[in-house]
Amino acid sequence: MASRSHRRGAARPARDGAPRRRVPLRLLLPLLVLVALAAMLMLRGYVHSEILADHRVGKPAPTDRVPKEILEGGPVIDARAGRTESLGVPDHRLVLTFDDGPDPTWTPRVLDVLKKHDAHAVFFVTGTMASRYPDLVERMVDEGHEIGLHTFNHPDLSLQSKKRIDWELSQNQLAITGAAGIRTSLFRPPYSSFSAAMDNETWPVTQYIGSRGYLTVVNNTDSEDWKRPGVDEIIRRATPEDGEGAIVLMHDSGGDRSQTVAALDRFLPDLKEQGYEFDNLTEALGAPSAHSPVTGADLWKGKAWIFLVQASEKITGVLVVGLAIIGTLVIARFVLMLLLSGAHARRVRRRGFRWGPPVTEPVTVLVPAYNEAKCIENTVRSLMASDHPIEILVIDDGSTDGTARIVESMGLPNVRVIRQLNAGKPAALNRGLANARYDIVVMMDGDTVFEPSTVRELVQPFGDPRVGAVAGNAKVGNKDSLIGAWQHIEYVMGFNLDRRMYDVLRCMPTIPGAVGAFRRSALEPIGGMSDDTLAEDTDVTMALHRAGWRVVYAENARAWTEAPETVQQLWSQRYRWSYGTMQAIWKHRRAVIEKGPSGRFGRVGLPFVSLFMIVAPLLAPLIDVFLLYGIVFGPTQKTIVAWLGVLAIQAVCAAYAFRLDRERMTHLISLPLQQILYRQLMYVVLLQSWITALTGGRLRWQKLRRTGVVEAPVTGAVPGRRDRRSDDRRPVA
């Protein structure tokens, strides 16, 4: 029921007269956010070697096709321009090399020790680590050390194609360029050792890399520090014999390097006393620097790469924090719901519980109706079966389908029809309030049917003079479709279980428009129903809290409503609900700083409602995003177990909610699918509401076309649904 709506988002005609369709913002922006998020996750996975990583290591091969001068030569192999040469380091010259970094913990300590002892070294960095820690690469260059390539993802290049080798080199260079503004001509292949270990599989790779302009640097002294054999053993293995020059292999990444740092602090001064010099490679060879500055477009490409990697690190870091927060919130909310809803059920169901003296006086039932011809007869007949004395006011809000005539033609006693020009639901309800004969007023929608006991159960809490409003138990009457079943789960678990919790916390955010009751004496001082927001039911409920009235939940006051049956209908309804809730929260924001009942609601109710109805649902898809990422890129088993754990918690809560509401458990079969699909739809709807709120847009009412499938209940039976012959279920645009 709503005011007349206007056409929105119509396709504009193209120049040739044909309609030109545009992707609506509500779809385009979430899609762009999803694509950007996926790109950031993929980029993070790439630089963390979770994507495109190849951890295979080739087996030893024969050496008959490797030149003898390479096998017996020095650790520097020059295969550039077809050459086959090897070079060694002069005596009393040591070139310290560090592989696999930079590491945020150990590389700074290694650099500190080198600086302390005025020594230079060569750092063979991987592209993944250089991309993640560019400041350390820059520090290496600034302090006079040389940088060498160690591939991007650290694969065994003997198992890779030339295309993959080129990719590894170019991406490694890109990361170094973005970090320090240079290119390097030094390269060390992963899993390499001495030149004598070159074989028929690795030599062709060395030749190809030489053809790309790189010097291949292996080693002739291996500290084996990665085994963590102890400081003394690392020093012994790193020390060459008889004053010979050497290239020493060490590591500044890949695990605990405390022994490496400690050994280095002793190794440097000890060997300096023996006459050794610690230079970078080109200094030791007396050759031009391996570094060359990069300018122009190549430099900006490198900087752009570093920027994107850093952005992906920060964004995914925020997402991980968000995931932890939402996980904590989800679990905390479920635990709170279980505890407090159980406490609520025990309190209201215990023997002898009464709100106060029985409420037996007549009440007024307001039925605002706009074009409800298909539903209004069912609605009114269900009210006539009520076992509590009532008068019925049907306020026809300018219907054009004969809604008012249908009610009048029924000729029922205690039923009045009030006609008005189309002015909207709040105006219709206020018109009904002005014409009501009784102080207690029940409000319902024109597409809802009551059970015979609904009104009686709904008004009993007014036996407590502190109660100003009562929320009933709204249920889905058309739950035989998949969308209907999902909404049935949502109503029982997400709405009614929540209402029990909010009742105990005394911060019920919404009296459902389908079934609620109010004291007219409570509504009049706050101005009745307001049209300031699209969620007049939430707005008035918050206003009653601020005025000091209690708002409670009557679980046995059941009403059966026709839920949307298509995605488009559901979208329209939930968009209005979520945006209207945001409006109501914003309207009552000053309650946070006020005193008395208003301040209590502002400092307890508003944060609680904002957190669990606005913020948490927006973050909930992170669970599914990381589920998909974990399944594809690992750890798959742990990811699936974690997601199943969350689903199990939800299933327990849902089963408990169904038990409290005495519902059949068979409807929970579709719960997993609901969590995968339905939640994503609600996320996009909420995101659209945020966009509308932040851009200052104004959403109009959208009336859903009803089919009248929910029939009036009979005593002791659940309302059924009749066969429908019309497929006219699209929302009125």
Side-chain angles (χ1 to χ4, degrees):
M1 196 292 306
S3 60
R4 299 182 196 273
S5 56
H6 299 266
R7 294 189 61 83
R8 302 164 57 236
R12 293 183 178 180
R15 291 182 179 178
D16 58 2
R20 183 177 59 195
R21 292 189 174 276
R22 296 185 304 170
V23 178
L25 183 62
R26 69 173 183 264
L27 295 177
L28 180 60
L29 191 57
L31 182 61
L32 292 176
V33 170
L34 181 62
V35 170
L37 179 60
M40 290 294 100
L41 286 175
M42 295 288 285
L43 181 56
R44 182 190 182 278
Y46 179 49
V47 298
H48 281 257
S49 298
E50 296 169 344
I51 301 173
L52 297 180
D54 187 343
H55 302 292
R56 297 176 299 162
V57 179
K59 296 179 181 180
T63 62
D64 56 288
R65 292 199 296 270
V66 182
K68 184 177 180 181
E69 57 265 38
I70 297 298
L71 293 174
E72 298 178 356
V76 181
I77 301 171
D78 187 356
R80 296 174 296 179
R83 291 192 291 267
T84 305
E85 300 177 4
S86 65
L87 303 171
V89 177
D91 291 348
H92 289 94
R93 293 285 186 97
L94 286 183
V95 179
L96 297 177
T97 63
F98 297 90
D99 284 8
D100 301 339
D103 180 273
T105 300
W106 302 111
T107 301
R109 299 186 187 184
V110 169
L111 289 170
D112 290 343
V113 174
L114 292 173
K115 187 175 183 180
K116 173 183 175 182
H117 297 288
D118 192 25
H120 288 160
V122 182
F123 289 84
F124 289 97
V125 301
T126 64
T128 58
M129 301 299 283
S131 300
R132 291 161 61 188
Y133 308 108
D135 54 319
L136 292 176
V137 178
E138 186 177 21
R139 179 183 170 184
M140 294 171 187
V141 175
D142 291 343
E143 294 183 359
H145 306 292
E146 280 185 325
I147 307 296
L149 302 183
H150 200 45
T151 73
F152 192 86
N153 283 115
H154 204 274
D156 186 339
L157 296 184
S158 66
L159 301 175
Q160 310 302 323
S161 65
K162 289 183 178 180
K163 183 177 181 181
R164 175 64 183 268
I165 294 173
D166 287 339
W167 175 262
E168 291 287 336
L169 295 175
S170 64
Q171 287 295 105
N172 203 173
Q173 286 282 21
L174 183 67
I176 293 173
T177 297
I182 63 165
R183 288 179 59 87
T184 181
S185 60
L186 303 181
F187 172 79
R188 171 172 285 170
Y191 310 107
S192 63
S193 58
F194 307 114
S195 58
M198 195 75 67
D199 59 32
N200 294 347
E201 298 296 332
T202 55
W203 171 241
V205 174
T206 302
Q207 288 181 299
Y208 181 74
I209 289 173
S211 72
R212 313 303 288 175
Y214 294 99
L215 282 174
T216 296
V217 182
V218 288
N219 61 279
N220 50 2
T221 303
D222 188 354
S223 69
E224 296 187 352
D225 58 340
W226 58 275
K227 295 181 179 179
R228 303 189 76 246
V231 173
D232 291 337
E233 186 64 16
I234 290 174
I235 293 175
R236 187 189 69 79
R237 294 175 180 176
T239 304
E241 298 179 357
D242 303 325
E244 295 178 349
I247 294 179
V248 183
L249 173 60
M250 290 183 167
H251 297 81
D252 62 328
S253 183
D256 184 352
R257 296 291 172 248
S258 57
Q259 290 185 5
T260 303
V261 175
L264 197 61
D265 202 21
R266 284 172 46 189
F267 181 69
L268 288 170
D270 288 351
L271 266 72
K272 277 193 172 184
E273 289 182 0
Q274 299 177 29
Y276 277 93
E277 296 180 16
F278 291 89
D279 300 320
N280 60 39
L281 182 62
T282 56
E283 289 172 341
L285 296 177
S289 172
H291 295 171
S292 58
V294 179
T295 59
D298 289 339
L299 176 62
W300 287 107
K301 287 179 183 178
K303 290 184 177 297
W305 169 259
I306 295 297
F307 173 80
L308 290 174
V309 171
Q310 295 299 304
S312 73
E313 291 284 305
K314 290 181 173 60
I315 290 173
T316 51
V318 170
L319 290 179
V320 170
V321 173
L323 181 63
I325 292 174
I326 190 59
T328 302
L329 288 177
V330 166
I331 294 174
R333 177 172 176 262
F334 284 153
V335 171
L336 201 59
M337 279 198 306
L338 289 174
L339 294 176
L340 296 186
S341 60
H344 178 272
R346 288 191 298 272
R347 176 169 62 88
V348 299
R349 293 179 182 182
R350 72 173 182 264
R351 188 182 300 274
F353 171 80
R354 297 174 66 181
W355 293 97
V359 177
T360 58
E361 61 266 29
V363 301
T364 299
V365 180
L366 304 183
V367 187
Y370 171 69
N371 287 347
E372 301 287 3
K374 295 180 179 179
C375 308
I376 195 64
E377 184 174 351
N378 286 340
T379 299
V380 173
R381 290 197 182 280
S382 74
L383 290 173
M384 292 302 298
S386 175
D387 59 14
H388 190 91
I390 61 173
E391 72 156 346
I392 303 170
L393 295 186
V394 177
I395 305 96
D396 184 271
D397 188 37
S399 298
T400 59
D401 65 349
T403 297
R405 291 195 302 273
I406 292 173
V407 178
E408 290 170 340
S409 66
M410 295 170 69
L412 299 173
N414 296 324
V415 177
R416 286 188 286 156
V417 176
I418 300 174
R419 299 171 183 260
Q420 67 175 32
L421 296 176
N422 180 246
K425 184 176 181 179
L429 290 171
N430 286 331
R431 183 75 177 274
L433 283 171
N435 286 272
R437 294 193 179 113
Y438 306 109
D439 181 58
I440 296 178
V441 177
V442 173
M443 298 181 185
M444 66 183 300
D445 289 336
D447 61 347
T448 303
V449 296
F450 279 8
E451 295 179 6
S453 62
T454 298
V455 174
R456 172 172 50 80
E457 294 285 353
L458 190 61
V459 301
Q460 294 311 305
F462 290 112
D464 182 346
R466 299 171 298 174
V467 173
V470 181
N473 187 344
K475 291 184 171 294
V476 175
N478 52 330
K479 54 191 175 186
D480 57 349
S481 65
L482 186 59
I483 291 181
W486 288 347
Q487 291 174 89
H488 175 52
I489 295 173
E490 182 185 29
Y491 272 60
V492 175
M493 178 185 175
F495 296 161
N496 293 333
L497 202 61
D498 267 353
R499 289 193 179 102
R500 297 177 191 274
M501 175 180 67
Y502 287 128
D503 188 340
V504 175
L505 295 175
R506 299 181 65 181
C507 60
M508 181 93 63
T510 304
I511 299 292
V515 53
F518 301 84
R519 290 187 193 272
R520 187 165 59 174
S521 56
L523 289 176
E524 289 174 348
I526 63 173
M529 309 299 291
S530 172
D531 62 357
D532 292 340
T533 72
L534 290 175
E536 77 291 332
D537 43 9
T538 301
D539 188 355
V540 73
T541 307
M542 292 183 176
L544 288 172
H545 279 296
R546 296 181 66 187
W549 290 98
R550 283 193 62 190
V551 180
V552 300
Y553 173 60
E555 63 175 359
N556 293 324
R558 290 179 290 270
W560 300 83
T561 186
E562 182 179 339
E565 296 197 344
T566 67
V567 172
Q568 187 180 3
Q569 286 181 331
L570 183 63
W571 185 295
S572 299
Q573 183 194 68
R574 299 312 168 87
Y575 182 24
R576 178 174 61 81
W577 284 7
S578 58
Y579 185 56
T581 300
M582 290 181 181
Q583 289 178 310
I585 291 172
W586 182 253
K587 176 180 177 179
H588 296 283
R589 66 190 183 278
R590 289 190 59 82
V592 175
I593 61 174
E594 293 176 343
K595 298 180 180 179
S598 181
R600 182 191 179 280
F601 175 74
R603 288 182 287 276
V604 177
L606 279 184
F608 209 89
V609 172
S610 300
L611 185 62
F612 287 114
M613 296 183 67
I614 303 299
V615 177
L618 193 62
L619 297 176
L622 286 178
I623 297 174
D624 301 305
V625 170
F626 278 91
L627 166 68
L628 184 60
Y629 184 85
I631 289 176
V632 176
F633 303 114
T636 303
Q637 185 175 357
K638 291 181 179 179
T639 301
I640 294 176
V641 169
W643 187 82
L644 290 177
V646 174
L647 182 61
I649 294 174
Q650 293 174 318
V652 169
C653 287
Y656 185 63
F658 270 58
R659 181 175 178 273
L660 287 181
D661 264 25
R662 301 180 180 91
E663 291 284 350
R664 294 171 56 190
M665 297 291 178
T666 53
H667 288 100
L668 292 178
I669 294 175
S670 63
L671 179 64
L673 196 59
Q674 186 215 36
Q675 293 301 305
I676 295 174
L677 300 178
Y678 187 77
R679 186 169 62 201
Q680 310 315 314
L681 176 63
M682 294 301 100
Y683 156 69
V684 177
V685 169
L686 186 59
L687 182 60
Q688 183 187 9
S689 300
W690 274 101
I691 295 169
T692 304
L694 294 175
T695 57
R698 182 171 179 82
L699 178 64
R700 299 181 183 274
W701 273 87
Q702 289 197 335
K703 168 86 170 73
L704 300 182
R705 291 190 187 275
R706 301 299 183 181
T707 61
V709 297
V710 181
E711 293 186 321
V714 296
T715 303
V718 173
R721 57 181 292 156
R722 63 185 177 186
D723 293 335
R724 55 209 170 195
R725 298 180 181 177
S726 171
D727 290 327
D728 191 11
R729 298 177 212 149
R730 295 170 292 115
V732 178

